[in-house]
Amino acid sequence: MQLQLEDTICAPATATGGAIGVVRLSGPGCYEVLGKVVTLRSSRPLEAGSVRFGEIPGVDEVLVSCFRAPHSYTGEDCVEIGCHGSSYIIGRIMTLLCEAGARPAEAGEFTRRAFLNGRMDLAEAEAVADLIAAESEYAHRVALGQLRGGYSAELRGLRDRMLEICSLLELELDFSEEDVEFADRSELRRLMEEALGRCTALADSFRAGNAIREGIPVVIAGEPNSGKSTLLNALLGEDRAIVSDIPGTTRDTVEERIVLDGLEFRFIDTAGIRESSDTVERLGIGRTLESIKKAFLVICLEDPTVHGYDTPVTDAVRAMTDPSCQKLITVYGKADLMSGKDSGALSICAPTGAGLDKLRSAIVAASPTASLHGDTVLVTNARHHAALLAAAASLRQALCSLDSGLTADLLAEDVRSAIGSLSSITGEITSQDILSTIFQRFCIGK
Ligand SMILES: Nc1nc2c(ncn2[C@@H]2O[C@H](COP(=O)(O)OP(=O)(O)OP(=O)(O)O)[C@@H](O)[C@H]2O)c(=O)[nH]1
Ligand SMILES: [Mg+2]
């Protein structure tokens, strides 16, 4: 879809149900459209930054905030009409604006215009969607970091240096008859290794970044009847999962979100792991194993009333996971039935809440942010992750070409392809299709 920048677009910018609503208007015809719809109280000119009272006859009294190109969110002339928040009023204002020459905006069109008008790069524009969707303090902090430039500046720096390499290599091609090397090969290697290191480190941060954005997956695993569902309910503070003393009660995974210490976790209660001849139960156990493999953290709930202080669940989970991907926390349940004995480890009694604070602290301490410093950059976007992996692959290829003494033209090709991948993140090189996919994720009015 090719969007027309000469159109003037409008959309409600606030959700329905609030006392106040805001309708946004942007584009070259913005003030002409406004003049046809709103009668202002004073006739002073609408300068940038001015806020005016006005009336839309028969509809509402409004407050108009004025922005002038290029100093607005979209980089165009822009107006925000503050009105009363009824969906009827907002609907009427939309109709009047469209009758006066504006058209309803597509999802994300305001931000898309901001990108097209150079107000922000693509990574920053995507951060706007993340900021709106952020459900926890940490997800918000990561999105805000990206919105403020995040790693865009660093990527641009890397890209500019690679462009330099490329131009030196291309110069060699022009003088190919004379067998000269403008690009110092050892300096080239150093630069490419540095760029590769940074791309790989950024790509590696995606697992943590994505977990923070989507909610950190924590699986509660254990044998049937060990108290997994009871634990989920206790952490949630509500009767979400069915609890019974019949082993094999939970069949399907049950997932709920909980925010702890500013971080959003997805707690996943699972079917108890055991040998079973019941087809449905076996399917459920299959799902348990799948979710363990996707988890960031696995709470291995041991039942000391059956196995004492042995750790059969932890041992089994450890055998099927990768320590660099999943962290395990061993927890002994049913502490009330083990009076007098102390394992010295994390013991809980979910029905009374005993030990749960310690468990919560252990979960937060094992989360991906625990080892991060305040200024650590995290990649949270799958598109950026894929582009960074592609850039790293091209750089590895370029280093191989360098090792095997390949000619400047082949070397330049690999470097160019790495540049292309990095440029796609910030949007220097991006197809219309990619832009449409990105901005469709936005809400209308943003
Ligand atoms: N005494 C005591 N009983 C508990 C505790 N936690 C759970 N139970 C009981 O243990 C039984 C099984 O609890 P569930 O939470 O359903 O166990 P589960 O691990 O989800 O079991 P499955 O879904 O079958 O895998 C229920 O009767 C619970 O009331 C505890 O800390 N102390
Ligand atoms: Mg259960």
Side-chain angles (χ1 to χ4, degrees):
M1 172 189 37
Q2 187 71 48
L3 295 173
Q4 302 297 323
L5 282 176
E6 56 267 27
D7 288 356
T8 294
I9 54 171
C10 59
T14 43
T16 48
I20 300 293
V22 171
V23 178
R24 242 182 181 180
L25 194 60
S26 180
C30 175
Y31 285 95
E32 197 187 320
V33 171
L34 182 77
K36 290 184 191 161
V37 176
V38 178
T39 312
L40 293 168
R41 292 247 177 101
S42 93
S43 56
R44 279 178 294 142
L46 288 170
E47 291 146 0
S50 57
V51 178
R52 294 289 157 75
F53 282 111
E55 192 188 346
I56 301 179
V59 180
D60 199 6
E61 294 184 339
V62 296
L63 194 64
V64 176
S65 312
C66 306
F67 306 84
R68 291 284 185 180
H71 305 291
S72 72
Y73 180 74
T74 55
E76 307 171 328
D77 277 350
C78 212
V79 163
E80 286 179 10
I81 304 172
C83 57
H84 291 102
S86 97
S87 50
Y88 171 74
I89 293 176
I90 291 173
R92 280 291 298 148
I93 294 177
M94 281 295 291
T95 307
L96 292 170
L97 293 174
C98 291
E99 283 169 7
R103 70 160 166 82
E106 306 279 341
E109 197 173 357
F110 289 89
T111 309
R112 185 172 182 160
R113 287 184 173 205
F115 165 67
L116 293 174
N117 289 321
R119 296 291 290 167
M120 54 179 79
D121 72 28
L122 200 52
E124 289 159 7
E126 286 171 307
V128 173
D130 290 348
L131 195 65
I132 295 171
E135 294 280 356
S136 68
E137 182 188 335
Y138 217 97
H140 172 263
R141 200 192 307 168
V142 171
L144 199 61
Q146 193 178 318
L147 181 62
R148 289 185 178 149
Y151 45 83
S152 294
E154 186 181 347
L155 289 183
R156 272 195 291 270
L158 278 178
R159 197 184 61 110
D160 289 349
R161 281 154 72 193
M162 285 199 257
L163 276 172
E164 235 169 84
I165 302 181
C166 232
S167 53
L168 286 175
L169 288 170
E170 274 157 11
L171 205 58
E172 281 179 21
L173 296 180
D174 293 341
F175 289 85
S176 54
E177 301 292 296
E178 291 160 44
D179 195 23
V180 285
E181 280 191 359
F182 289 102
D184 171 357
R185 294 298 188 263
S186 61
E187 171 65 9
L188 209 60
R189 160 172 295 281
R190 198 190 58 72
L191 202 58
M192 290 200 292
E193 277 172 349
E194 193 189 319
L196 175 60
R198 199 53 202 141
C199 287
T200 315
L202 280 172
D204 286 350
S205 76
F206 178 66
R207 210 176 108 79
N210 193 47
I212 289 168
R213 185 172 114 145
E214 302 287 329
I216 302 161
V218 182
V219 164
I220 306 174
E223 292 177 333
N225 234 13
S226 54
K228 299 178 297 300
S229 303
T230 311
L231 173 58
L232 176 78
N233 291 346
L235 288 168
L236 272 175
E238 66 178 82
D239 263 345
R240 170 68 178 84
I242 299 172
V243 166
S244 88
D245 57 4
I246 305 164
T249 299
T250 305
R251 294 296 180 95
D252 214 340
T253 49
V254 177
E255 183 176 321
E256 282 297 329
R257 289 169 187 270
I258 301 173
V259 174
L260 298 177
D261 218 21
L263 276 169
E264 188 177 37
F265 292 89
R266 290 193 285 125
F267 280 89
I268 302 154
D269 177 24
T270 57
I273 307 168
R274 65 169 169 184
E275 291 294 328
S276 170
S277 53
D278 181 302
T279 316
V280 179
E281 187 175 0
R282 285 217 322 254
L283 288 172
I285 294 169
R287 291 194 174 188
T288 303
L289 303 182
E290 266 172 46
S291 50
I292 286 176
K293 294 217 163 77
K294 286 191 219 146
F296 214 97
L297 197 64
V298 184
I299 298 176
C300 303
L301 186 57
E302 308 285 356
D303 189 342
T305 64
V306 180
H307 300 288
Y309 289 111
D310 287 346
T311 54
V313 177
T314 313
D315 298 343
V317 172
R318 187 170 291 129
M320 67 174 93
T321 50
D322 171 354
S324 66
C325 293
Q326 281 86 22
K327 289 190 186 172
L328 313 188
I329 300 182
T330 302
V331 179
Y332 293 102
K334 304 185 182 171
D336 54 317
L337 301 178
M338 301 299 287
S339 53
K341 296 179 205 154
D342 186 4
S343 67
L346 199 53
S347 282
I348 60 163
C349 173
T352 64
L356 290 189
D357 278 343
K358 265 196 184 164
L359 174 59
R360 287 189 193 96
S361 307
I363 292 167
V364 171
S367 76
T369 53
S371 55
L372 297 178
H373 308 290
D375 55 354
T376 310
V377 173
L378 285 178
V379 174
T380 56
N381 184 304
R383 191 182 70 82
H384 300 184
H385 179 232
L388 285 162
L389 289 179
S394 305
L395 284 167
R396 261 187 225 106
Q397 182 61 46
L399 281 164
C400 274
S401 307
L402 200 61
D403 283 339
S404 20
L406 288 187
T407 50
D409 54 341
L410 292 169
L411 212 52
E413 200 175 303
D414 295 331
V415 179
R416 257 197 304 269
S417 130
I419 293 170
S421 302
L422 290 186
S423 302
S424 72
I425 296 180
T426 44
E428 277 93 354
I429 303 173
T430 314
S431 75
Q432 288 297 327
D433 286 351
I434 294 180
L435 287 184
S436 293
T437 317
I438 291 170
F439 288 103
Q440 268 157 21
R441 283 201 310 126
F442 280 67
C443 40
I444 303 275
K446 195 61 220 179

